[in-house]
Amino acid sequence: MIRTQTLKSLLAQRILIIDGAMGTMIQQHKLGEADYRGARFADAPRDLKGNNDLLVMTQPEIIAEIHAQYLDAGADIICTNTFNATAISQADYGLEAIVHELNLAAATLARSICAEFTQKTPDKPRFVAGALGPTSRTASISPDVNDPSARNVTFDALVETYTEAIDGLVKGGADLLLVETIFDTLNAKAALFAIDQYFDHHPATERLPLMISGTITDASGRTLSGQTAEAFYISMAHANPISIGFNCALGADLLRPYIHALSKVSALPISCYPNAGLPNPLSDTGYDETPETTSKYLGEFAANGWVNIVGGCCGTTPAHIRAIAKKMSAYKPRIAP
């Protein structure tokens, strides 16, 4: 419970900063197929370009540099490069067998970079969030419009692959677990069940604090599986996370009503790490908003007393996180009603 207590104490003192986009930063390196393969996977039968999670093994210096840039920009929490490090998602590349190794390597790498920065500034401890993405399948929605009952994944299969990832993240040194970009609440329930079961089966292991972050997919104001912000909160609160909130899909301006709605019902601290606005292929980052714009919107959230953890998702860079961190220094964290 030490890490949970530490984080809760910090959340009561100030607004914490989570890092920005990993994929956006990787894209700037313009890596080719050979870069993704490295020596170990040179003979892999499928194309591996685009498998960003694999870079923790084939290009670890690039991922370490990105982590360091976000920490230098002011991030308190950095996420492991494991958004797609589950057997379900890695099956696209034929790499299901290395899922545990991917999570272990990603957490170990992030832990080492965090340790360096914490050593430099002991009064500002840095934390590794073990990222558990939504996978590339949905347990609630049929992939076949002609068969509403069809499913391409089961709850048990999700639990199994999440458990494998969790073990790697915990053993690699993650400080907390982040169930993120939730578009299907049933997928998230599988992740939460896997987390509970894992720590029940490993009583000697410290139970890590938990962050939960959903995704409002469009102007309907609902997750892909149909829940409003309030319903999503009620579905997730039983897991007793240290925070609940939203990320991805929308920029901060469009997320405003849903963060506001969440702030009115949540007894938990609230996180918000939006995209840098809407996609724009002519932009250097592929998204519209500048660091000044994103930080302005999040500053308004903080001024209204809506948030406890903020950062960035797709399209955000260390420049965005630096601007956000500077803006947040003027505000106090949200106090739950």
Side-chain angles (χ1 to χ4, degrees):
M1 296 295 290
I2 295 174
R3 279 175 278 201
T4 299
Q5 292 165 358
T6 301
L7 281 163
K8 284 184 175 180
S9 175
L10 288 171
L11 285 167
Q13 297 170 34
R14 59 186 175 88
I15 296 174
L16 299 186
I17 309 299
I18 195 168
D19 61 4
M22 176 61 73
T24 298
M25 296 299 291
I26 289 172
Q27 287 170 12
Q28 294 180 14
H29 288 269
K30 302 187 185 306
L31 302 176
E33 180 69 28
D35 299 308
Y36 278 87
R37 287 174 176 268
R40 176 171 170 181
F41 303 99
D43 299 324
R46 300 188 196 177
D47 289 345
L48 300 181
K49 184 178 178 181
N51 187 3
N52 288 344
D53 304 63
L54 185 60
L55 296 175
V56 299
M57 296 171 65
T58 58
Q59 302 291 336
E61 67 285 347
I62 290 176
I63 305 304
E65 177 195 352
I66 293 169
H67 284 323
Q69 287 181 52
Y70 280 123
L71 288 169
D72 187 62
D76 298 288
I77 302 168
I78 59 170
C79 302
T80 55
N81 183 36
T82 52
F83 186 79
N84 285 308
T86 56
I88 290 170
S89 296
Q90 286 299 312
D92 294 342
Y93 303 98
L95 296 179
E96 305 96 308
I98 66 164
V99 163
H100 185 273
E101 192 177 357
L102 277 178
N103 284 277
L104 180 66
T108 301
L109 182 63
R111 173 78 270 141
S112 68
I113 304 301
C114 264
E116 289 179 18
F117 276 80
T118 299
Q119 187 173 15
K120 292 176 188 174
T121 55
D123 60 324
K124 184 180 170 67
R126 313 300 179 98
F127 302 91
V128 175
L132 296 164
T135 81
S136 54
R137 297 184 183 176
T138 165
S140 293
I141 302 169
S142 171
D144 183 355
V145 294
N146 297 311
D147 184 2
S149 68
R151 296 291 183 271
N152 58 10
V153 70
T154 65
F155 186 89
D156 288 346
L158 287 165
V159 170
E160 182 179 355
T161 192
Y162 278 129
T163 300
E164 186 178 23
I166 291 161
D167 189 60
L169 293 171
V170 171
K171 289 178 178 174
D175 296 299
L176 60 142
L177 296 173
L178 168 62
V179 181
E180 66 161 323
T181 320
I182 299 163
F183 58 80
D184 183 343
T185 303
L186 190 56
N187 284 40
K189 291 279 193 182
L192 298 179
F193 180 82
I195 290 168
D196 270 347
Q197 183 174 253
Y198 178 84
F199 287 112
D200 285 346
H201 291 171
H202 297 80
T205 301
E206 179 187 352
R207 184 176 287 264
L208 299 185
L210 172 66
M211 290 178 64
I212 295 175
S213 185
T215 295
I216 300 294
T217 52
D218 54 36
S220 70
R222 295 173 180 268
T223 64
L224 189 64
S225 56
Q227 287 190 310
T228 62
E230 296 92 337
F232 176 75
Y233 168 75
I234 291 167
S235 295
M236 297 282 104
H238 70 89
N240 195 30
I242 62 163
S243 71
I244 190 164
F246 294 115
N247 74 291
C248 205
L250 304 175
D253 192 32
L254 294 177
L255 263 180
R256 180 191 306 271
Y258 315 120
I259 292 295
H260 184 206
L262 193 60
S263 75
K264 291 192 290 185
V265 299
S266 177
L268 301 164
I270 291 175
S271 67
C272 178
Y273 55 110
N275 288 354
L278 297 173
N280 178 0
L282 299 179
S283 166
D284 290 340
T285 64
Y287 284 80
D288 266 338
E289 288 182 3
T290 64
E292 292 71 28
T293 305
T294 302
S295 62
K296 170 179 168 287
Y297 288 135
L298 289 175
E300 292 170 2
F301 294 7
N304 290 331
W306 294 348
V307 290
N308 302 91
I309 302 173
V310 295
C313 203
C314 305
T316 58
T317 65
H320 288 79
I321 298 308
R322 192 176 301 278
I324 291 167
K326 182 178 179 181
K327 183 73 71 173
M328 291 304 122
S329 65
Y331 300 106
K332 294 182 179 181
R334 170 183 177 269
I335 299 173

